[in-house]
Amino acid sequence: MAILLLISLVSCLVAVNQASLINRCDLAKVLHQEDLDGFEGYSLSDWLCLAFVESDFNITKVNENTDGSFDYGIFQINSHYWCNDYKSHTENICQVDCQELLSSSLLSIINCAKKIVSGAGGLKNWVKWRLHCEGRPLSYWMTGCHLA
């Protein structure tokens, strides 16, 4: 009986953990629907690479930085500049609560990312994108994805 209970508990934990992940092709569809393909000159592959290197496609990822700020969501948007987490000083340029950036609809984080990319630096604002995605062939990120 104890083993059955343990198996049920582990199954629930695995389900909860996976609930925050989005499939690469499902993310591509959402990004396409929100007009990110070609936005400010960046392809869907650029956005998919960014989401992977920043969060491993984890919609609800939150990371604390050494300066006391936090990074939120699939694109790891920083609370010091872009959103209000009510924990640290913020400029809140996106005019959004950081918790909204963790929504499974992805609309808040996409809108904030568009604002970031529209400014100086584009996707270069993300260090991990510069290190792992910029200037590399990225078309494989769309392999097997059908947008229609």
Side-chain angles (χ1 to χ4, degrees), residues 65 67-72 77-93 96 98:
N65 299 302
D67 67 357
S69 68
F70 290 82
D71 295 334
Y72 289 85
I77 292 177
N78 186 266
S79 64
H80 181 73
Y81 300 103
W82 304 105
C83 64
N84 190 353
D85 64 358
Y86 304 98
K87 297 177 189 175
S88 57
H89 168 74
T90 182
E91 294 180 35
N92 195 12
I93 296 169
V96 65
C98 294

Side-chain angles (χ1 to χ4, degrees), residues 3-57:
I3 296 234
L4 186 58
L5 182 60
L6 181 62
I7 290 172
S8 294
L9 178 61
V10 169
S11 296
C12 288
L13 291 175
V14 169
V16 167
N17 187 37
Q18 289 183 353
S20 62
L21 299 179
I22 188 169
N23 172 282
R24 173 179 54 86
C25 291
D26 290 340
L27 177 59
K29 286 178 188 174
V30 172
L31 298 175
H32 180 72
Q33 290 167 352
E34 295 303 318
D35 298 321
L36 281 176
D37 193 14
F39 185 80
E40 297 292 336
Y42 297 102
S43 68
L44 287 180
S45 294
D46 283 303
W47 291 99
L48 292 173
C49 186
L50 173 67
F52 178 76
V53 298
E54 285 292 344
S55 70
D56 293 323
F57 302 123

